[in-house]
Amino acid sequence: MKPAIPPPQENLLGLDKLELCQLAEVLDEPKFRGKQLFHDIYARRHRDFAQCAELPAHFRQILSSRYRVDYPEIKGRRASRDGSVRYLFSLHDGESVETVYMPDEGRVTLCVSSQVGCAVNCRFCFTALLGVKRNLDPGEIVGQIIAVTCAEQHPAGTPLNVVFMGMGEPLLNLDSVMKAVRIMVDADGLAIALRRITISTAGVIPKIHLLAREAVRPKLAISLNASTDEQRTELMPLNRKYPLSKLFEACRAFPLGSREHLTFEYVLLDGVNDTDSDARRVGALLAGIRSKVNLIPYNAGQGLPYRPSPLRRVLAFQKILQDQQIPAFIRISRGQDIMAACGQLRLAEMGDSTAQAAQPLSSA
Ligand code: SAH
């Protein structure tokens, strides 16, 4: 008996090993052909089934006549003076998302999107201005990685970090994000080390608990961005539903490997959340949690009222955390000249009046 599964989507990108094995069986092939197909699509990056030399000719023909391997289409590419490259992808329904390729001292970090737009509505974020359009499917998530690494001719030996810090709230699209992650870490897939994958969340607490129970679990980063509930609710309205006490309860319950830590991101906004008292309160919140803090200078643009904190504030904030034995790093904003803050480029491409006034492009 063949398994009763619905015919898969025509675009095979995003199907996992099990689904491709089921597809092989439905097409009267032995199951292991599905594994070979998985390897061909993700590890060898074949888009044309004729290239799949291990597969028998008749199977290749059937696949070619019924299915495709489609990557998201590159609609724009902008290189920054600092070496980072921002991609704008066009999806099958005309929607678009952004991905940023950031080379840095022998490794590369890829910042990927999980949704078209975002529903979370953080007041300082450009993606929030778009609202949420839809979730990305697993193929659209791994497709960003494959398309960008191919276009950049990413050298095979260079370590690749993947951070879900592009457009969207990954924990509000957890099923697709996790399916994509499993394809990424599979040795026959993209073969990316699990410890190099980070999901960043604004703090969707029930989903943090779900992520904690995943067998294949990427690292977790929490966008903290404030030191009191009042301040956080102002900047990130989801804090009303998911306040700091509950957020830290979930953080304390999150399982960590022996050398692992939780990352807390803190976007420093001039005169809003960057005082010495804020730093001391952040230190108190993190007490007893194996954590590190990434201090992110704000990437500003007109249309939103926030400004980056001056460097001396950033340094003072960092020192107060370090004095409390909390590792704190300053994350230099990459791609300022290419509007690399979340959602900025897409807004500009849409001709949105808000972003028209955003930072000018100064390099191509
Ligand atoms: N929704 C997820 C992931 C996307 S945002 C989250 O909130 O974590 C990724 C990070 O970028 C978050 O830490 C967010 O606070 C930060 N961010 C958003 N807009 C920014 C901007 N204009 N400048 C600097 N950091 C920004």
Side-chain angles (χ1 to χ4, degrees):
M1 274 266 290
K2 294 277 177 271
I5 55 159
Q9 60 204 41
E10 278 175 27
N11 181 10
L12 298 187
L13 196 72
L15 296 193
D16 62 21
K17 215 181 237 171
L18 184 69
E19 288 169 322
L20 291 175
C21 286
Q22 287 172 333
L23 173 68
E25 286 191 300
V26 167
L27 298 175
D28 286 325
E29 291 293 325
K31 214 168 153 180
F32 75 90
R33 295 289 182 209
K35 280 192 189 163
Q36 290 175 323
L37 183 55
F38 184 88
H39 192 256
D40 281 330
I41 292 175
Y42 297 110
R44 295 204 170 102
R45 317 239 161 140
H46 291 332
R47 301 174 74 172
D48 179 352
F49 298 113
Q51 294 174 293
C52 303
E54 282 175 357
L55 301 180
H58 62 273
F59 187 35
R60 294 200 302 255
Q61 269 161 17
I62 292 187
L63 289 171
S64 303
S65 66
R66 298 190 196 170
Y67 301 107
R68 313 178 313 271
V69 178
D70 280 345
Y71 301 166
E73 188 194 331
I74 297 172
K75 203 165 118 191
R77 177 187 184 278
R78 299 189 188 200
S80 162
R81 278 172 301 213
D82 68 16
S84 58
V85 188
R86 162 158 294 236
Y87 282 85
L88 187 72
F89 284 106
S90 170
L91 307 174
H92 64 86
D93 58 356
E95 292 293 354
S96 49
V97 290
E98 304 168 1
T99 311
V100 190
Y101 182 86
M102 296 175 284
D104 185 26
E105 292 178 3
R107 61 193 151 88
V108 169
T109 300
L110 208 54
C111 178
V112 298
S113 295
S114 56
Q115 297 182 304
V116 180
C118 188
V120 174
N121 208 13
C122 300
R123 298 285 183 235
F124 51 83
C125 177
F126 291 91
T127 303
L129 299 176
L130 301 164
V132 68
K133 298 278 170 56
R134 68 172 174 83
N135 284 338
L136 295 188
D137 66 33
E140 290 167 330
I141 297 172
V142 293
Q144 294 171 64
I145 301 172
I146 298 176
V148 170
T149 50
C150 286
E152 292 296 321
Q153 298 180 322
H154 177 76
T158 307
L160 186 68
N161 297 313
V162 175
V163 295
F164 283 88
M165 293 184 190
M167 292 166 69
E169 168 49 51
L171 292 192
L172 292 179
N173 185 18
L174 187 58
D175 289 348
S176 291
V177 165
M178 284 312 301
K179 188 171 173 192
V181 166
R182 288 188 289 269
I183 294 170
M184 287 179 212
V185 300
D186 194 311
D188 293 326
L190 302 187
I192 297 171
L194 184 59
R195 68 189 155 78
R196 293 192 176 276
I197 303 175
T198 301
I199 290 183
S200 174
T201 181
V204 186
I205 293 170
K207 304 291 178 152
I208 295 177
H209 290 301
L210 282 184
L211 182 65
R213 293 208 289 270
E214 289 284 343
V216 175
R217 193 179 52 251
K219 294 206 310 197
L220 180 64
I222 309 276
S223 297
L224 183 58
N225 298 339
S227 68
T228 67
D229 270 317
E230 194 190 0
Q231 193 185 50
R232 196 164 191 268
T233 300
E234 185 75 24
L235 290 173
M236 304 172 74
L238 102 162
N239 189 72
R240 198 170 287 121
K241 191 165 173 194
Y242 301 127
L244 288 171
S245 58
K246 294 268 186 294
L247 179 61
F248 278 92
E249 211 174 281
C251 290
R252 284 173 206 281
F254 197 79
L256 294 176
S258 56
R259 293 224 200 125
E260 245 187 285
H261 50 251
L262 282 177
T263 299
F264 290 86
E265 294 151 274
Y266 199 99
V267 179
L268 285 159
L269 304 166
D270 186 23
V272 176
N273 63 357
D274 63 349
T275 64
D276 289 354
S277 310
D278 285 311
R280 280 191 286 270
R281 281 191 294 263
V282 169
L285 285 168
L286 300 186
I289 299 179
R290 226 182 311 138
S291 57
K292 73 165 192 186
V293 176
N294 282 339
L295 299 172
I296 311 172
Y298 183 59
N299 223 331
Q302 284 177 29
L304 292 179
Y306 302 100
R307 293 180 313 272
S309 302
L311 183 62
R312 62 180 164 73
R313 267 288 81 233
V314 179
L315 293 172
F317 203 99
Q318 180 187 35
K319 179 155 189 329
I320 291 171
L321 289 174
Q322 285 173 339
D323 287 348
Q324 296 174 86
Q325 274 67 55
I326 295 168
F329 304 90
I330 299 168
R331 290 285 167 235
I332 306 300
S333 274
R334 303 290 300 270
Q336 297 227 355
D337 52 341
I338 51 168
M339 297 194 280
C342 290
Q344 267 183 310
L345 183 62
R346 194 195 127 137
L347 276 168
E349 298 282 326
M350 284 165 58
D352 182 282
S353 57
T354 318
Q356 294 254 309
Q359 294 175 343
L361 286 172
S362 47
S363 84

